[in-house]
């Protein structure tokens, strides 16, 4: 009798745990990290996950589009140079074009390689913020992304 009661308690606790996990995951913001360099992609992902985000990654615009099509992306961390033919600026132009279903997603460009002219192009397209990698620590950028996503929209 006591064994049966313990089994029921375990089943109930598992259901509660699953429910709580689903609730927590539903409240986590998802960041798409688009970066061609694997070590940096992994470092950024770990920092974002540690900050409480769900992270999906891509090394090319094609892979990034697939993540966007799957839905639920709340922000994009984007490098300029990527694998494949398209670069970050091409991707931003597509995302910010009229009629794009992803136009409102905030984009944080983090790159060392874009020229001043390209940085201005990113800004004209309406990115949220541009960071020069060498001038900003990862944890500072992660903190900025977190603050931006936690601030209620006006």
């Amino acid at each position: 009798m006591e064994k049966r009661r313990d089994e029921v308690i375990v089943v109930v606790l598992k259901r509660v745990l699953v429910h709580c996990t689903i609730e927590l995951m539903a409240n986590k913001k998802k960041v798409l990290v688009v970066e061609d360099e694997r070590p940096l992609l992994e470092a950024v992902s770990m920092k974002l996950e540690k900050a409480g985000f769900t992270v999906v990654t891509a090394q090319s615009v094609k892979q990034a589009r697939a993540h966007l099509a799957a839905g639920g992306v709340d922000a994009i961390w984007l490098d300029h140079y990527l694998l494949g033919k398209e670069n970050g600026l091409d991707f931003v132009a597509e995302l910010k074009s009229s009629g794009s279903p992803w136009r409102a997603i905030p984009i944080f460009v983090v790159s060392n390689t874009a020229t001043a002219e390209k940085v201005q192009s990113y800004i004209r397209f309406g990115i949220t913020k541009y960071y020069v990698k060498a001038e900003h620590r990862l944890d500072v950028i992660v903190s900025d992304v977190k603050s931006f996503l936690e601030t209620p929209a006006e």
Side-chain angles (χ1 to χ4, degrees), residues 21-93:
T21 302
I22 290 169
E23 285 295 314
L24 282 173
M25 290 180 71
N27 293 329
K28 286 176 93 173
K29 299 287 185 177
K30 184 190 291 186
V31 178
L32 167 58
V33 178
V34 190
E35 166 65 56
D36 63 322
E37 297 177 43
R38 172 73 53 199
L40 187 54
L41 181 71
E42 291 171 1
V44 170
S45 296
M46 285 193 306
K47 286 275 189 187
L48 288 165
E49 287 170 351
K50 203 173 198 180
F53 293 103
T54 297
V55 178
V56 291
T57 63
Q59 291 183 283
S60 68
V61 170
K62 182 178 179 181
Q63 291 171 345
R65 276 191 204 107
H67 285 297
L68 288 171
V73 172
D74 297 296
I76 299 171
W77 177 302
L78 179 66
D79 187 17
H80 176 71
Y81 287 109
L82 304 168
L83 299 182
K85 294 179 183 178
E86 297 168 292
N87 63 34
L89 192 56
D90 298 326
F91 191 44
V92 168

Side-chain angles (χ1 to χ4, degrees), residues 106-119:
I107 302 171
F108 299 84
V109 178
V110 185
S111 184
N112 277 329
T113 51
T115 63
E117 181 181 305
K118 287 181 181 159
V119 171

